[in-house]
Amino acid sequence: MANIPATEYRGGVHQRQKDLMLDWYATLDQAAHTADPPTVSMMVSGNCVELLEGFGAVPIYPEVNALQLAIRHQSLEPILAAEDMGYAADNCAYVKADIGCYVKGTTPTGGKMPKPTLLLCNFVGCNTYAKWFEHVATLTGAPLYMLDVPFLRGDQPSQADLDYVVRQLHEVVTLLERLTGRAFDYARFQQAVDWSRQTEEIWSQIKHLSQHVPSPFDAYFDAITLMGPLYVHRAKREGLEFFQAALAEFQQKVDLNQGIYDQEKFRLVFEGPPPYPHFRTFRDMFAKWKACAVASTYSTVGGLWEFGFRHDPERPFESVAMHMLVHNVTNRNYLQRYEQIHRYVKEWKADGIIVHFVKSCRLFSAGQGDMRDYFTKQLGIPTLYIESDIEDPRYFSEAQIKNRIDAFFEALEHSKQAGGHVTREVHV
Amino acid sequence: MELERTFDNLSEILQDLSFGSVRRWKEEHPGSKAVAFFPVYAPVEIIHAAGMLPVGLAGAGDKLDIQHADSRFGSFICSIVKTTMEMGMTNHLDAFDGFLFSSICDSARNLCFVFKRNFPQMYVDFLHLPHNSASPASVDFLDAEYRRIIGELERLGGKRINDAALRNSIDLYNLQRKLVRRLYQFRADSPHLLRAWESYLLTRAGNFLPVEEHIATLEGVLSLLKDRPGKRRDSIRVVVEGSFCEQPPLDVIRMLEAAGCDIVEDDFALAQRWFHGDVPSTGDPVRALAESYVRDAVYSSVRHDFAHPRWEGLADKIRNTHAEAVIMLIAKFCEPAYFDYVLFKKKIEEMGLPHLLLEFEEKLFTFDRLRTEVETFVESLVFD
Amino acid sequence: MPLVAGIDCGTGFTKALLVSQDFSGEISILGKGKARSGINVDGAATNALSEALAVAGANRPDVAYVAATGFGRYSLGFRDIAITEITTAARGVFFLHPEAGAVLDIGSQCTRAISVTDKGKVHEFKSNDKCAAGSGMFIARAAKYLEVPLETVGELSSKAAHAQPIGSVCAVLAESEIINHVSSGVLVDDILRGIHESLADRAGALLKRVGMSKQLTFIGGVAWQSGMVSALEQRLGVKVYVPPDCDFVCALGAAVLGLRRLASRN
Amino acid sequence: MRIAAGVDVGSTQTKAILLGDDGTVKILARALTDTGANVRKAAEQAFEQCCHAARIAPAEVGFVVGTGYGRYKISFGHTQMTEISCHAKGAHFLCPNTRTVIDMGGQDSKAISVGRSGEVLDFVMNDKCAAGTGRFLANAADVMGLRLDEIGPLSLQAKHPVKITTVCTVFVESDILSYLAQGKRGEDILGGVHLAIAKRTMSLARRVAIEPEITMTGGVTRNVGMVRALEEVLGQRLQISPDAHFMGAVGAAVFALEKLDRSFESECLEAPHAVSGRN
Ligand SMILES: Nc1ncnc2c1ncn2[C@@H]1O[C@H](COP(=O)(O)OP(=O)(O)O)[C@@H](O)[C@H]1O
Ligand SMILES: Nc1ncnc2c1ncn2[C@@H]1O[C@H](COP(=O)(O)OP(=O)(O)O)[C@@H](O)[C@H]1O
Ligand code: SF4
Ligand code: SF4
Ligand code: SF4
C-alpha cells in the first residue's frame, strides 16, 4: 500500500470525521438487527435529511457505500457480480457496485446493511437515480417513493415547481408515518432545519477560506472527507459542532499563512467526481506539481451553499424544497454549472480548470466537451480534460492520465514564467 | 406498385438531412414556424395547435459523419445525441425555429443546454415530464408545465393558442395514433404482408410529415394492404424492444427479417403511440393532455411509473401478439435501455421465452457480427 | 456413399472436413484440410477441401453437399447452406462429446461462450464483440512482441510462477503495458500467464452469463495453448476438455448438420 | 560548441536528435530505431547512433531530455518532458509560425495549440482506445498484405472510398476482410480507411482552436495518403518538415539546449520507474 501522501490533510478534523462516520455505520448496523431506528435510503444529491429528523430516522446513502467500496479497492467484485446479472459495461458503476453488494450481502465496512424502511428516490437531476431505486426496490421488496424534483429549466424554479415538491414532501411525511408507526415531530423537523441553517453557514465560511492564497486545504480531495458529515449529520448538533471545529482549524492555518504545500504553485478548480478507485494515485499526480484545488463542483452535489442559500426554519418545507430544486449542482442546468465554475475561477483566483470526465456518470459528463470548449475558446482559461471512472477501477490508465497532467502543468509553468496567466486571443 | 412508391418516397424524405419537406411546408405556410423535438413524449398537439410544424428528430442516421459534435459530447454518449448536435453545428437545422427537449435521460437533457449555448438564435426549451405518476400533484404540475410551454410558443409564434385549436389538434393526433395502432395490428396478424421495415417507415413518417398528410398516407396504405399478395414464411414471431429513442438503421431491421424473424411488435418510433387510448377532446384540453401522460402513456425506459412497471408492459405485448421470442435491440450507450434490460430479461425468463440482446449504432455499415448472432438465435429455435 | 463437406471460413484459416454416414446412421470423418483464408474465400476453401479430399482418397464430384460456416460463409460460392459458426460449434462439440454442457470458443477476433442443450442445440450464447481485447489475436500479437513463437506460448505460460496481471482493457494499449513489463524485467512466462489469466477471467464472465456447467469444452485456435487451459481450470474451477481437433469443430458441426439437410432433401 | 540531445521513446519507434550550438543552432545527427520490447536499450541505441554519426563521445553531450511514453526508462537522460511540450517546441523551432500541431504517432494522436514562443496553449489527445492511429494503419497494411509505405500512395487512387464502421485497430481487420470478400478494390478500401482516420483525427483536433500555420508531426507524416486525406478534411494545407517524424526529439533537444544555457534544474525531475503499469 502506498504511504499517505504528505499533502493529505491529517488534522483533528480527519479523526473526528472518522468517528462520526463510524457512529453512523454502527447505527445502521443496529438498525439492520433491530429495525430501529427507521432508515431511509436516498440520494446524496440535494438530499432532505432534515425531513428524516422529524421521525428520528437515519439516512442510508447508497452513493456513500459505493464510494467507500471504491476507495477501499473493493468495487470490482460487486461490479462484476452486477454485470453477471445483465448490467452493461456502460451502466453507471455506482449502481452496479451497490446492486452487487445487495446481491452478495456485503457492505464496505463489513457490517450489515438494513433493509430500508423506505426507499426515497429524491429524483434530483440524475435519471439514473430513478433506475437505481426501482432496481433496489424490485430486489429488496422495500417500499419506494419517487420524489420527483423538476429540473431547473430557467434560473429559478416556478411556483408550480415549488408547490409540486412541497406537496410530495407532505406525501412522504404521511407515508413515513404509516411505515414507521411514528407521528411526525414537526418541532424536531424545524429544529433540524435550524441546525442545517447554522451548519451551512459554517460550511460556507470554510469554503471561502480557500480563497486565501495559499489555500488552507484542498477543496476537492480534502473537501470529500468533509462531505460525509455534511450529508449525514448536517441537521444535528454534532454536525454543527464538527464543522465549527473544522472552521477553527482551517482558520488557524490561514492566520499562519499555511497551505497544503510548503509553497503552493498552482490553484485549480475541479469539475466532475473523482476517480475513487485510484484516489491516492490521482491526488499524487497533482501534488507532484504542488497544485491545490481551491474549489470543486463535486463538493456541491449535496448542496450549494457558498453562494448564500440557507435552510429556513420559518419555512421548513419550502426551504427543503428549494434546496432540492435549486441549491445543489445536480439539479442545476449545464449553463448554470459553467457560471458556477467561472465564478470559482475568478473569485477563488484559480489558474486553470480540471475537467474529470467520468464514464459512469452522464449527469456530470455528457457535454463536458462543450464545457471545455467554452472555457478554453470563449474565456481563454486553461482547461484540462481527462477521462476515467468514479467506481470502476478498469478505466484508469495511469500513464496516459499522468502524461496529460504533466503536459498541462508544463504549459502552465511555462506561461507563468513568461509572466502571469496564459494569455490567448479570445474567439467567439 | 403504389405501396412500393409510397415506401420509396418515405425513405427518401427520411434521409433528407436538409429537411426539404419542412422548408416546403414553411413556404406553403408563410410566417409559420417549425419546431423540432427530441423523439420521445413531446406534446405535439400543443405545437400543432400553435400553427407550427412539429418535427421529431431522431438523429441523422448514417448520412452524416460526426466531425464536430464529439468535441462537445465525448466518449460513452449515444449516437443520437451526437448526430443531433452535429446537425446543429453543420447548419442542417436552419429550417427550425425551436427545439424542444424533455426529461428522458441525462445525455438528452444536457444536450438541451449545450444547444442553448451554441444556437442562441433558436428557441430551445426543456420540458420536465413528471416521474411520480403515483402522486396527484403530478397532473397539476404537468398542467402548469404545459401552460408554460404554451406561453413560450405563443411568444415565438406571436399568436395565442386557443382551446378550440388544441381540441382540434388532439382529435387529429388521436386519429393518427389510432391508424398507427391499426397498422401494428395488421402486421401482428399478417407479418408476411407488411414487413417491419415498411411499417417502420410509415410510423417514422409521423415524425416529420404534417399530421394531416400522415393520416392520409396511413389511410391510403391501410386500404391497399388488404389486397397485397404474399406467402407466409417459416419464421419466428419476435417482439423487438429497446429502440424507443435512437433508431436502428433500416438495414438492421431488414437484416432481422432476412434472418428469419417476423417482427410482430416493436417500439420503433414510439412517438406515434404514446397513449394507450385517446386523449379526451372534451373539457380542458391542457389538463386532458397532462392526465393522459400521467395516467395513460405507453411505457418506455424513460418513463417511470413503479405502480405499472415497464416489464409488465413488455409481458402484455408478448402475450397479446403471441410472440415466441424477444430481441432486445439497444442503442450503444443508451443508459436507460441498458438498465431496463436487466429487469426485462428477468421477466422474459420468467415467461420462459428466449431472448437475444443486440446493440446497434446509427452508423453501422457492416452487419456481419449482428447477423451471425441473429442467425444463430433463429437457428437455435428452428433447427431440431 | 455421398460425402458431405463442412467448411469453416474463419478470419485466419479456412478449415474443411469431410464426413459420410453409413446405413446404420454411423457418421465417420474421412479427411480434413486447412488453408490460410486471405482475400479469396472460394480459393482458400478449394485448397482446404482438396487437402481433405486427398486424405479421404476421394474426388470433388463425390461431395454431394457443402455446408459453410464461419465469418466468410456467405462468400463461399459453392455452398449449399450457410450456418453460423455458433450453431456449428455447438453441434460439433455435441457430436464429439454429448455431455459438453458449455462451450468456449476463442478464435482470432472473437471469444464466445455457448451453452448447449441436451439435443445439441444452442441454448444461449454471448460474445465479446465490443472490443478485441481478450481474443486470440491479442495473444498472437503479444507473442510477436515478446519474440516467442506462438506454438510455445502455452507451454511457457504453464511454467510461470508469478503471473503478471494485465490491466488495460484495450488490446493495443495492453501491448505497451506488456512492453513496460518486459523492460522492468518481468519474465516472459509470467507475462504470458497474466495474459492467459486475464483472458480466462473475461471468458469466465461470458460463461457465467450463458450458465456455466461443471464441464467446459474449449475450442478455437487458442485451445492449443495448454497455459490457457490450465488458467481456465484454475480461475473458473471447472474441468476443461479440449477436443483433439479443436480447430475443426465448427467444420465438423457444419458437416453434421449438412448430412441432416442432405437426408431431408433426399 | 555546446551539444544537447533529445530522445523520443515512442510506442513504436525511438527517435534521437543531436543539436549543436556554436552561435547558430543546428541538427548534428538523427537516429531512428524500433522501440521493441527493451525500451531502455532502444533509447541507448538511438542515442549512441547519433553520437556515432556526429563523431562525438556521449560524454560531450551536455544535456539530454527524454520524451515519449518510455521517457522514464531512459537511464542516461537528465530530465523528462511530455511529448506534448516537445512536439510544440520542435515545431516552433523548425517552423516558427506554427500555431497548431497535429501529431500522429503509433499509438496516439494529438492536437496542440501553440503560442508565439512555442508554448503549449491547449492540447487534446485521443483517449483510451488506440483506434485511428498509426498502429491502425499498420494493421490495415498487414491485413491487405501490403508494406506500410505502400498503403498511402495506393489510397490516393481510390475512386469510391468505402465506409468503415469501426476505427478499432483490431476490428478494422474484419471490416477490411468483409469488404475484400465483397470484391471491393484495394485502393477504395484503403481510401476509406485513410478517410475514416482523417475524420476522426480532425474531430479530435477541432477541440483546440485550429489556426494556421498547421504543422503535422509524427511518423504518420510519412504516409502521403494520410497527409492528403487530412488536408482534404481540413480544407487547408499542412506544413510538413523533413524532420517531422523526429519532431518530438527535436523539441526535447531544444529544451535540453535551453536547460544547458540556464543550467536549470527542473523541480519535477523524476527517477526512472516512478510510473509502473501497476496501481
Ligand atoms: N499453433 C498454435 N499454437 C498456439 N496458438 C495458436 C496456434 N495457432 C493459432 N493459435 C491461436 O489461435 C488464434 C486463431 O484461432 P482460430 O480459431 O483459428 O480463429 P478464426 O477461426 O477466427 O480464424 C490465433 O490468434 C492464436 O492466438
Ligand atoms: N515509412 C513509413 N510509411 C508510412 N508510415 C510510416 C512509415 N514509418 C512510420 N510510419 C507510421 O508512423 C507510426 C509511428 O509513428 P511515431 O511517431 O514514431 O510513433 P511513436 O512515437 O508512438 O512511436 C507507425 O505506426 C506508422 O503508421
Ligand atoms: S450517473 Fe452520476 S450522479 Fe447518477 S448515480 Fe451514477 S454517478 Fe451518481
Ligand atoms: S438513445 Fe437513450 S441515452 Fe440516447 S438520448 Fe435516447 S434515451 Fe438518452
Ligand atoms: S480499446 Fe483497443 S481493442 Fe478495444 S476497441 Fe479500442 S482499439 Fe480496439
Side-chain angles (χ1 to χ4, degrees):
Chain A
M1 280 284 11
N3 289 324
I4 298 156
T7 51
E8 189 163 321
Y9 183 61
R10 293 271 152 167
V13 172
H14 192 268
Q15 190 50 47
R16 281 193 300 276
Q17 179 267 354
K18 224 172 180 173
D19 296 344
L20 274 183
M21 295 310 277
L22 284 177
D23 262 9
W24 176 53
Y25 277 117
T27 315
L28 291 183
D29 192 59
Q30 181 200 325
H33 289 96
T34 63
D36 183 64
T39 51
V40 175
S41 180
M42 66 180 165
M43 306 305 306
V44 160
S45 304
N47 64 74
C48 54
V49 68
E50 292 81 9
L51 197 70
L52 308 198
E53 283 294 307
F55 292 94
V58 183
I60 302 175
Y61 291 118
E63 294 140 302
V64 175
N65 292 328
L67 85 82
Q68 290 284 351
L69 283 172
I71 271 199
R72 292 161 196 241
H73 306 288
Q74 295 168 2
S75 58
L76 189 56
E77 202 189 332
I79 289 175
L80 291 175
E83 289 181 358
D84 287 341
M85 296 169 68
Y87 290 96
D90 305 319
N91 281 140
C92 170
Y94 252 23
V95 182
K96 285 189 285 189
D98 186 52
I99 301 255
C101 280
Y102 269 110
V103 174
K104 297 175 98 69
T106 52
T107 67
T109 47
K112 233 177 128 207
M113 199 41 81
K115 173 174 160 184
T117 314
L118 173 66
L119 292 164
L120 175 58
C121 181
N122 45 325
F123 177 79
V124 176
C126 173
N127 279 278
T128 299
Y129 292 168
K131 297 285 183 210
W132 191 345
F133 274 71
E134 278 185 354
H135 285 226
V136 172
T138 7
L139 257 173
T140 61
L144 168 71
Y145 185 89
M146 184 77 71
L147 204 172
D148 179 34
V149 179
F151 193 73
L152 263 197
R153 288 84 90 207
D155 286 340
Q156 285 297 318
S158 66
Q159 187 61 40
D161 295 353
L162 185 60
D163 292 346
Y164 180 37
V165 176
V166 169
R167 272 174 74 184
Q168 292 180 85
L169 286 171
H170 284 292
E171 287 180 16
V172 173
V173 167
T174 314
L175 180 62
L176 271 174
E177 285 189 324
R178 188 161 58 75
L179 292 172
T180 60
R182 298 180 181 185
F184 181 59
D185 185 340
Y186 183 79
R188 194 168 161 190
F189 169 49
Q190 213 172 9
Q191 174 63 58
V193 169
D194 196 44
W195 289 129
S196 278
R197 178 184 62 80
Q198 298 177 53
T199 308
E200 288 156 9
E201 176 57 34
I202 305 287
W203 173 243
S204 168
Q205 287 178 25
I206 291 177
K207 290 203 104 179
H208 280 89
L209 286 183
S210 55
Q211 288 181 336
H212 188 265
V213 185
S215 169
F217 65 99
D218 186 289
Y220 189 54
F221 297 105
D222 290 332
I224 287 161
T225 317
L226 302 178
M227 279 164 63
L230 189 64
Y231 305 145
V232 179
H233 302 95
R234 155 177 99 238
K236 288 177 183 291
R237 180 196 296 279
E238 298 99 287
L240 176 61
E241 287 170 356
F242 171 81
F243 284 102
Q244 281 167 336
L247 176 65
E249 228 173 279
F250 292 136
Q251 184 63 53
Q252 197 183 9
K253 292 192 74 185
V254 168
D255 297 340
L256 295 170
N257 233 356
Q258 266 175 13
I260 61 171
Y261 306 106
D262 49 9
Q263 190 198 353
E264 174 185 284
K265 283 182 67 183
F266 300 102
R267 297 170 65 82
L268 302 170
V269 175
F270 275 71
E271 147 75 7
Y276 283 120
H278 304 273
F279 196 67
R280 285 268 158 76
T281 315
F282 190 61
R283 181 172 194 164
D284 287 345
M285 292 180 186
F286 294 94
K288 171 190 157 195
W289 290 92
K290 300 195 168 123
C292 178
V294 293
S296 60
T297 49
Y298 183 64
S299 61
T300 60
V301 164
L304 178 57
W305 291 291
E306 52 261 48
F307 299 135
F309 172 75
R310 304 286 176 266
H311 277 85
D312 179 2
E314 299 304 311
R315 303 166 62 242
F317 278 104
E318 284 77 6
S319 70
V320 167
M322 281 305 276
H323 172 231
M324 301 178 95
L325 277 159
V326 208
H327 302 289
N328 64 83
V329 73
T330 43
N331 209 52
R332 297 167 73 84
N333 69 51
Y334 231 57
L335 302 181
Q336 288 173 306
R337 201 180 323 157
Y338 293 6
E339 228 178 87
Q340 183 183 343
I341 296 171
H342 193 190
R343 264 187 89 171
Y344 285 149
V345 173
K346 286 186 299 192
E347 296 170 25
W348 272 256
K349 303 180 273 290
D351 304 303
I353 302 166
I354 308 292
V355 176
H356 182 225
F357 175 102
V358 159
K359 156 194 174 314
S360 272
C361 182
R362 278 130 184 118
L363 172 115
F364 261 99
S365 57
Q368 274 175 338
D370 186 68
M371 183 185 287
R372 182 188 181 283
D373 187 84
Y374 173 72
F375 284 113
T376 56
K377 295 200 188 146
Q378 197 133 329
L379 301 181
I381 301 169
T383 303
L384 176 70
Y385 179 93
I386 36 185
E387 295 190 1
S388 77
D389 197 58
I390 184 170
E391 183 82 10
D392 194 328
R394 294 170 295 182
Y395 290 85
F396 190 86
S397 147
E398 184 176 340
Q400 280 187 36
I401 291 178
K402 185 173 186 311
N403 201 20
R404 281 169 176 64
I405 292 175
D406 286 349
F408 182 70
F409 285 114
E410 281 170 9
L412 272 187
E413 191 172 52
H414 189 286
S415 52
K416 276 205 159 182
Q417 280 168 3
H421 280 244
V422 171
T423 48
R424 58 155 40 247
E425 289 149 35
V426 174
H427 313 271
V428 184
Chain B
M1 274 306 98
E2 222 183 306
L3 277 174
E4 276 66 42
R5 213 170 324 120
T6 310
F7 295 135
D8 285 349
N9 227 342
L10 292 178
S11 94
E12 219 163 274
I13 304 184
L14 183 70
Q15 304 198 357
D16 172 19
L17 291 185
S18 59
F19 298 99
S21 62
V22 177
R23 287 174 208 276
R24 226 165 301 124
W25 182 89
K26 282 178 81 171
E27 277 160 26
E28 288 159 14
H29 300 78
S32 294
K33 312 269 184 203
V35 173
F37 60 88
F38 218 59
V40 203
Y41 303 120
V44 275
E45 291 87 349
I46 294 177
I47 303 174
H48 183 264
M52 302 178 184
L53 179 66
V55 179
L57 279 189
D62 58 7
K63 289 287 167 279
L64 191 65
D65 281 321
I66 299 176
Q67 290 197 49
H68 303 84
D70 50 10
S71 71
R72 308 303 161 95
F73 287 86
S75 336
F76 305 105
I77 305 295
C78 68
S79 154
I80 179 173
V81 163
K82 290 192 196 178
T83 50
T84 305
M85 189 70 202
E86 184 76 23
M87 284 195 281
M89 295 176 83
T90 48
N91 305 327
H92 282 89
L93 300 182
D94 292 352
F96 296 100
D97 306 280
F99 207 134
L100 192 58
F101 293 88
S102 60
S103 51
I104 56 168
C105 72
D106 295 342
S107 307
R109 186 231 298 135
N110 289 357
L111 176 65
C112 171
F113 296 94
V114 170
F115 247 66
K116 266 196 180 176
R117 177 175 96 83
N118 285 274
F119 314 116
Q121 75 286 359
M122 207 190 260
Y123 156 67
V124 179
D125 207 341
F126 184 76
L127 165 71
H128 185 90
L129 292 164
H131 292 272
N132 184 356
S133 303
S135 167
S138 282
V139 176
D140 293 336
F141 166 74
L142 188 56
D143 184 295
E145 180 68 351
Y146 281 159
R147 286 180 207 280
R148 181 181 71 78
I149 301 272
I150 288 174
E152 296 291 340
L153 289 177
E154 286 176 343
R155 202 161 314 140
L156 178 69
K159 66 173 191 250
R160 307 220 21 109
I161 301 174
N162 62 41
D163 282 5
L166 208 42
R167 284 197 196 98
N168 173 48
S169 304
I170 289 176
D171 281 336
L172 274 172
Y173 279 98
N174 277 341
L175 176 57
Q176 180 216 40
R177 283 188 288 260
K178 192 175 291 160
L179 291 170
V180 173
R181 281 196 289 268
R182 204 182 293 160
L183 190 77
Y184 268 71
Q185 189 57 51
F186 180 87
R187 195 186 67 187
D189 295 338
S190 336
H192 59 296
L193 295 184
L194 176 65
R195 306 307 290 160
W197 66 267
E198 296 169 337
S199 72
Y200 169 75
L201 277 179
L202 282 169
T203 331
R204 178 83 190 269
N207 270 346
F208 41 83
L209 291 183
V211 62
E212 300 81 357
E213 215 175 292
H214 190 223
I215 288 173
T217 310
L218 286 171
E219 282 173 338
V221 169
L222 278 166
S223 72
L224 289 170
L225 277 178
K226 287 193 304 292
D227 308 319
R228 202 179 194 190
K231 182 166 141 275
R232 279 195 190 269
R233 304 181 319 154
D234 187 14
S235 328
I236 53 168
R237 293 170 68 83
V238 301
V239 169
V240 175
E241 176 80 27
S243 327
F244 54 90
C245 180
E246 183 171 321
Q247 298 298 300
L250 203 52
D251 284 340
V252 167
I253 304 177
R254 285 203 179 101
M255 184 272 291
L256 290 177
E257 299 192 299
C261 300
D262 275 344
I263 302 176
V264 291
E265 236 317 353
D266 61 56
D267 55 358
F268 301 145
L270 185 66
Q272 314 315 321
R273 295 184 295 151
W274 280 337
F275 304 122
H276 291 286
D278 285 346
V279 180
S281 58
T282 51
D284 180 345
V286 180
R287 184 124 196 122
L289 281 170
E291 292 244 2
S292 285
Y293 176 79
V294 175
R295 314 235 177 280
D296 195 36
V298 167
Y299 78 89
S300 85
S301 291
V302 292
R303 183 175 175 278
H304 295 92
D305 182 0
F306 199 61
H308 305 97
R310 298 179 284 281
W311 40 101
E312 293 304 333
L314 175 61
D316 288 342
K317 268 191 195 173
I318 294 171
R319 282 188 215 104
N320 295 341
T321 54
H322 309 290
E324 301 162 82
V326 179
I327 291 183
M328 299 291 307
L329 184 63
I330 299 182
K332 190 168 186 170
F333 302 129
C334 178
E335 174 131 77
Y338 268 116
F339 266 121
D340 278 356
Y341 168 67
V342 178
L343 297 177
F344 282 153
K345 171 171 172 261
K346 200 162 145 239
K347 186 75 206 178
I348 300 168
E349 281 168 359
E350 274 168 26
M351 296 176 76
L353 251 61
H355 80 276
L356 176 70
L357 171 66
L358 292 180
E359 182 178 271
F360 70 89
E361 274 179 275
E362 278 187 289
K363 265 193 237 301
L364 213 54
F365 304 108
T366 48
F367 302 99
D368 299 303
R369 247 156 229 288
L370 281 187
R371 192 168 68 179
T372 300
E373 306 219 332
V374 180
E375 284 177 3
T376 306
F377 185 63
V378 174
E379 284 163 1
S380 77
L381 293 174
V382 297
F383 279 166
D384 49 24
Chain C
M1 212 168 14
L3 294 183
V4 169
I7 301 183
D8 176 4
C9 311
T11 38
F13 288 92
T14 301
K15 284 102 20 187
L17 187 129
L18 287 165
V19 297
S20 71
Q21 192 167 24
D22 65 17
F23 298 104
S24 66
E26 184 75 20
I27 297 173
S28 38
I29 299 171
L30 301 176
K32 54 191 175 62
K34 195 167 177 173
R36 263 215 100 78
S37 289
I39 297 176
N40 181 347
V41 175
D42 275 350
T46 307
N47 291 344
L49 187 56
S50 311
E51 193 184 324
L53 284 166
V55 175
N59 296 311
R60 192 56 200 275
D62 302 331
V63 180
Y65 196 90
V66 175
T69 186
F71 177 77
R73 63 189 179 282
Y74 284 108
S75 313
L76 185 65
F78 57 89
R79 69 176 196 273
D80 290 288
I81 191 175
I83 313 168
T84 71
E85 57 271 31
I86 304 170
T87 303
T88 55
R91 293 288 170 152
V93 166
F94 183 74
F95 177 82
L96 292 170
H97 189 58
E99 291 85 44
V103 179
L104 176 66
D105 175 2
I106 308 187
S108 4
Q109 291 198 11
C110 200
T111 300
R112 293 201 183 93
I114 311 165
S115 56
V116 184
T117 68
D118 53 11
K119 293 207 176 68
K121 292 197 342 177
V122 173
H123 177 59
E124 257 194 77
F125 65 94
K126 281 267 175 299
S127 39
N128 72 327
D129 55 356
K130 284 211 181 170
C131 185
S135 63
M137 173 122 45
F138 176 33
I139 302 183
R141 289 156 157 267
K144 197 169 136 201
Y145 273 88
L146 294 169
E147 291 161 1
V148 297
L150 193 54
E151 290 72 22
T152 62
V153 162
E155 214 182 302
L156 289 172
S157 143
S158 302
K159 288 194 323 213
H162 308 283
Q164 168 64 54
I166 305 291
S168 282
V169 282
C170 165
V172 181
L173 299 178
E175 285 176 13
S176 14
E177 201 180 322
I178 290 169
I179 294 169
N180 257 324
H181 291 320
V182 174
S183 54
S184 23
V186 181
L187 291 177
V188 170
D189 306 9
D190 293 339
I191 297 176
L192 287 171
R193 184 68 186 178
I195 296 175
H196 277 148
E197 288 189 356
S198 93
L199 251 72
D201 289 346
R202 276 159 201 271
L206 289 179
L207 281 162
K208 251 190 224 159
R209 275 164 230 179
V210 302
M212 186 148 40
S213 50
K214 288 264 155 294
Q215 264 266 5
L216 176 65
T217 307
F218 183 21
I219 59 170
V222 177
W224 293 105
Q225 301 167 9
S226 57
M228 185 66 204
V229 175
S230 62
L232 281 168
E233 292 193 324
Q234 218 176 63
R235 308 289 282 199
L236 310 181
V238 290
K239 181 90 201 71
V240 176
Y241 160 73
V242 180
D245 281 323
C246 60
D247 45 345
F248 277 88
V249 171
C250 290
L252 174 63
V256 171
L257 276 171
L259 275 174
R260 283 229 210 150
R261 303 302 286 185
L262 182 64
S264 68
R265 193 160 80 179
N266 292 340
Chain D
M1 183 165 68
R2 285 163 320 151
I3 302 173
V7 182
D8 175 3
V9 188
S11 59
T12 316
Q13 285 169 323
T14 297
K15 284 86 44 184
I17 282 282
L18 223 48
L19 277 186
D21 181 2
D22 53 2
T24 50
V25 180
K26 57 176 181 289
I27 296 179
L28 301 178
R30 340 175 146 66
L32 176 72
T33 167
D34 282 347
T35 302
N38 194 335
V39 179
R40 188 165 319 165
K41 206 162 103 204
E44 276 165 18
Q45 218 171 42
F47 179 60
E48 279 160 17
Q49 263 177 37
C50 261
C51 294
H52 185 74
R55 290 173 219 281
I56 56 162
E60 292 175 53
V61 180
F63 206 96
V64 184
V65 170
T67 187
Y69 101 103
R71 62 183 175 279
Y72 295 107
K73 297 275 156 60
I74 304 175
S75 46
F76 53 88
H78 296 96
T79 190
Q80 305 89 24
M81 302 281 290
T82 62
E83 57 270 35
I84 296 141
S85 301
C86 290
H87 275 273
K89 194 74 170 181
H92 175 75
F93 177 67
L94 293 177
C95 318
N97 294 324
T98 301
R99 287 291 162 273
T100 311
V101 172
I102 294 176
D103 168 47
M104 290 182 76
Q107 237 179 50
D108 52 33
S109 20
K110 42 184 137 350
I112 310 166
S113 166
V114 185
R116 291 182 197 284
S117 54
E119 76 274 22
V120 174
L121 293 179
D122 195 9
F123 66 92
V124 287
M125 287 173 88
N126 69 329
D127 245 306
K128 300 277 175 298
C129 190
T133 59
R135 186 68 67 80
F136 183 88
L137 288 164
N139 259 33
D142 254 8
V143 183
M144 313 256 321
L146 296 167
R147 282 201 325 272
L148 191 54
D149 54 2
E150 291 173 330
I151 55 170
L154 192 56
S155 78
L156 292 178
Q157 293 165 28
K159 299 222 165 49
H160 309 283
V162 300
K163 298 216 170 207
I164 299 286
T165 309
T166 170
V167 273
C168 167
T169 319
V170 183
F171 282 148
V172 70
E173 309 200 1
S174 55
D175 256 28
I176 292 178
L177 286 172
S178 99
Y179 279 125
L180 285 171
Q182 290 170 27
K184 298 274 190 219
R185 304 176 63 88
E187 58 265 32
D188 287 340
I189 297 177
L190 283 173
V193 166
H194 282 77
L195 203 60
I197 302 181
K199 284 180 177 165
R200 196 185 159 96
T201 308
M202 280 322 300
S203 84
L204 176 83
R206 284 202 181 91
R207 287 167 215 195
V208 305
I210 300 184
E211 281 170 58
E213 299 173 0
I214 308 162
T215 301
M216 183 177 170
T217 66
V220 179
T221 49
R222 298 192 166 195
N223 178 328
V224 54
M226 202 60 236
V227 175
R228 289 289 164 278
L230 273 173
E231 287 181 336
E232 194 175 305
V233 175
L234 187 64
Q236 288 188 56
R237 295 281 300 173
L238 293 173
Q239 183 165 230
I240 294 168
S241 142
D243 281 315
H245 193 174
F246 293 89
M247 209 57 104
V250 171
V254 175
F255 275 122
L257 210 53
E258 284 180 4
K259 305 232 155 150
L260 203 54
D261 287 346
R262 288 193 243 148
S263 64
F264 169 94
E265 276 296 316
S266 170
E267 287 167 52
C268 287
L269 189 73
E270 232 174 294
H273 290 297
V275 181
S276 73
R278 237 196 282 224
N279 299 314

